Amino acid sequence: MKYRTFQKTGERISLLGFGTMRLPILDGNPGEINEKEAIAMIRNAIDKGINYIDTAYMYHDGNSEVVVGKALKDGYREKVLLANKMPAWFAKSEEDIEKIFEEQFRRLDVDCIDMYLVHNITVPIWKRVLKYNVLEFLEKKREEGKIKHIGFSFHDDFTLFQEVIDYYPWDFCQIQLNYMDAEFQAGVKGLKYAGSKGIPVIVMEPLKGGKLTDILPKTIQEFWQQAPIKRTPAEWALRWVADFPEVLTILSGMNSMEQVDENIRVIEAADPSSLTAKEQAIIKSVADEYNKLIQYSCTECKYCMPCPLKIQIPAVISLYNDWYLYEGNHKVKADFDMWMSPDRRPSACIACKACEGHCPQHLPISDIMVKAKEIFE
Ligand SMILES: NC(=O)c1ccc[n+]([C@@H]2O[C@H](COP(=O)([O-])OP(=O)(O)OC[C@H]3O[C@@H](n4cnc5c(N)ncnc54)[C@H](OP(=O)(O)O)[C@@H]3O)[C@@H](O)[C@H]2O)c1
């Protein structure tokens, strides 16, 4: 296993971390984790050198925390840094923040959480975090020894990322990064910005949640087959992320023993700044090919927002594009069902076109909403 150093403490953290959002499940029910298999996978990963385990309150309907807690019994807790997160969007008061925090400890059955993140920062969630004094709460918990390090995970644009980074002396942060999302959300610019401030970055979704490895568009398969260097799609994608020295650890949401073993093997060969110009060019041509398949070139500038009907327009367009990129991959529909709140879906569109006049890309947004409704709803 390759390790990188967490400068704050000098601890060595495995370059591959285990994300527990996509554990194996039973009967297609996300809340019902295949506990035996999941525990075996987590322990196998730890036995092979992984020492960073990431969970969250809402993963697998709350059961990820429970299963991670069980996996860390029998001496495994001491071998890892455990990461968990505060989902402030579930809170309607400061008391709710405390209740969620306590529930997490009950579910995990541990005394301390090493890496504690403010979960999923976006504009509205950041407002709530400030309103409910979440950072002050976490500082108190750090003084009490319940948590060790305070960080945040992020899903909005670079401007907000910069604001959040500059707001507080974070111990670390977590961003979505893969070769398709180099300029999306915080992106490589955010990674470099955090690096310039000495804030280590944990990467999530290095395989775009499996979309870069699962069902590949035909042209992409051909690109990989013709590449002069033979690697699996997962290997190319993980190597691309690992090449950035600013990355402390890469979380992959592995859901089988084979994936755990493959990703460990890949990471063992991944040194920072080791990809050659030729290798970078291969990855870039694959990303360019993916980009050609994209239906509507929305840049998520959000000029179309707010929608009077509260539709999450940029998110709908992003999922619509994904649907074509990944040839109707079930994961895209699952993402829609998981993340799109029922009152903010495309079927709410009344074609008032208030958004279209503001779109710098001149996208036919109301037509896209009709098409998205047909696919997803
Ligand atoms: N804080 C936040 O806001 C936030 C948001 C998202 C994620 N996270 C955390 O970050 C972690 C990582 O994100 P992610 O789960 O999206 O990671 P990811 O590595 O991009 O996606 C995981 C998926 O990739 C596929 N995969 C993994 N290894 C593979 C391999 N060797 N070969 C082929 N396919 C492979 C699997 O898909 P199949 O199911 O198709 O096999 C797996 O479910 C999460 O698990 C979670 O802990 C946090």
Side-chain angles (χ1 to χ4, degrees):
M1 176 56 61
K2 283 271 183 329
Y3 294 86
R4 292 191 181 171
T5 305
F6 184 32
Q7 293 298 346
K8 183 184 168 196
T9 60
E11 279 161 299
R12 305 276 288 153
I13 299 191
S14 56
L15 181 52
L16 181 65
F18 203 131
T20 61
M21 189 175 82
R22 303 181 198 272
L23 294 169
I25 55 173
L26 297 169
D27 302 326
N29 175 1
E32 257 203 70
I33 297 172
N34 181 339
E35 216 172 281
K36 199 165 160 232
E37 198 181 329
I39 291 174
M41 281 165 54
I42 295 170
R43 291 185 173 182
N44 169 47
I46 299 171
D47 290 340
K48 291 181 174 157
I50 287 184
N51 67 1
Y52 192 103
I53 311 288
D54 175 271
T55 185
Y57 186 71
M58 28 75 84
Y59 294 170
H60 292 287
D61 299 339
N63 274 325
S64 169
E65 290 176 328
V66 175
V67 171
V68 166
K70 289 183 184 173
L72 296 184
K73 298 282 177 211
D74 304 327
Y76 281 88
R77 172 68 189 94
E78 292 68 36
K79 297 180 182 177
V80 298
L81 292 176
L82 173 61
N84 204 354
K85 320 185 184 86
M86 173 53 65
W89 67 93
F90 285 128
K92 293 197 173 61
S93 64
E94 288 190 33
E95 291 71 48
D96 284 351
I97 299 285
E98 177 116 43
K99 274 188 208 152
I100 291 170
F101 188 82
E102 281 167 11
E103 194 181 352
Q104 292 181 308
F105 275 82
R106 272 196 301 279
R107 287 181 185 173
L108 276 163
D109 192 24
V110 294
D111 297 327
C112 172
I113 293 168
D114 306 281
M115 314 291 280
Y116 199 91
L117 301 93
V118 177
H119 198 172
N120 186 20
I121 290 188
T122 56
V123 169
I125 294 171
W126 182 231
K127 280 189 190 146
R128 201 173 276 224
V129 167
L130 300 178
K131 182 173 168 195
Y132 295 147
N133 299 309
V134 172
L135 295 172
E136 291 77 358
F137 171 82
L138 293 181
E139 282 180 358
K140 201 170 109 227
K141 294 296 164 192
R142 185 164 59 184
E143 276 161 31
E144 291 169 10
K146 299 298 285 180
I147 62 175
K148 287 190 185 157
H149 311 294
I150 299 174
F152 68 97
S153 72
F154 189 82
H155 282 291
D156 211 310
D157 63 13
F158 176 75
T159 311
L160 180 67
F161 183 75
Q162 206 170 16
E163 182 188 323
V164 174
I165 284 275
D166 292 344
Y167 184 85
Y168 184 77
W170 303 99
D171 297 318
F172 67 107
C173 66
Q174 183 167 313
I175 62 170
Q176 167 170 343
L177 195 66
N178 56 67
Y179 65 77
M180 284 298 292
D181 290 333
E183 291 171 27
F184 180 63
Q185 296 183 359
V188 172
K189 204 166 149 195
L191 173 75
K192 300 279 174 192
Y193 189 72
S196 74
K197 301 275 170 173
I199 298 174
V201 178
I202 313 277
V203 166
M204 58 187 157
E205 301 176 62
L207 309 177
K208 211 169 164 54
K211 288 178 197 155
L212 299 180
T213 52
D214 195 359
I215 300 169
L216 303 182
K218 279 188 198 64
T219 48
I220 302 292
Q221 284 176 32
E222 284 159 18
F223 259 93
W224 288 139
Q225 278 156 10
Q226 286 157 16
I229 305 158
K230 297 296 167 221
R231 290 186 179 138
T232 64
E235 189 165 6
W236 281 109
L238 290 170
R239 287 291 301 271
W240 184 85
V241 178
D243 215 51
F244 293 100
E246 295 86 353
V247 171
L248 180 61
T249 187
I250 305 168
L251 299 175
S252 184
M254 299 160 284
N255 68 17
S256 71
M257 202 63 97
E258 292 71 34
Q259 290 178 358
V260 173
D261 288 338
E262 175 177 4
N263 294 354
I264 288 174
R265 173 187 66 74
V266 169
I267 287 296
E268 269 162 7
D271 287 316
S273 312
S274 64
L275 286 181
T276 63
K278 195 171 165 188
E279 290 169 317
Q280 292 282 10
I282 292 170
I283 296 171
K284 180 160 184 321
S285 32
V286 168
D288 289 347
E289 186 57 30
Y290 267 121
N291 282 323
K292 277 193 218 153
L293 298 170
I294 288 170
Q295 303 288 303
Y296 291 105
S297 62
C298 169
T299 60
E300 308 213 20
C301 68
K302 301 196 182 103
Y303 279 33
C304 54
M305 300 292 276
C307 161
L309 278 303
K310 298 199 173 108
I311 300 167
Q312 293 166 291
I313 297 168
V316 172
I317 299 176
S318 166
L319 287 167
Y320 183 80
N321 278 330
D322 281 356
W323 182 259
Y324 284 94
L325 266 174
Y326 306 112
E327 298 169 332
N329 186 334
H330 63 95
K331 275 168 182 280
V332 182
K333 171 83 170 72
D335 278 354
F336 182 92
D337 291 340
M338 176 153 43
W339 297 111
M340 202 66 62
S341 43
D343 56 339
R344 304 183 75 183
R345 294 184 171 189
S347 53
C349 180
I350 53 165
C352 70
K353 301 188 189 240
C355 49
E356 292 186 10
H358 302 295
C359 174
Q361 318 298 323
H362 308 292
L363 296 179
I365 296 173
S366 52
D367 290 350
I368 302 173
M369 293 305 117
V370 172
K371 292 180 187 172
K373 178 188 145 197
E374 279 162 14
I375 290 172
F376 296 121
E377 297 183 75

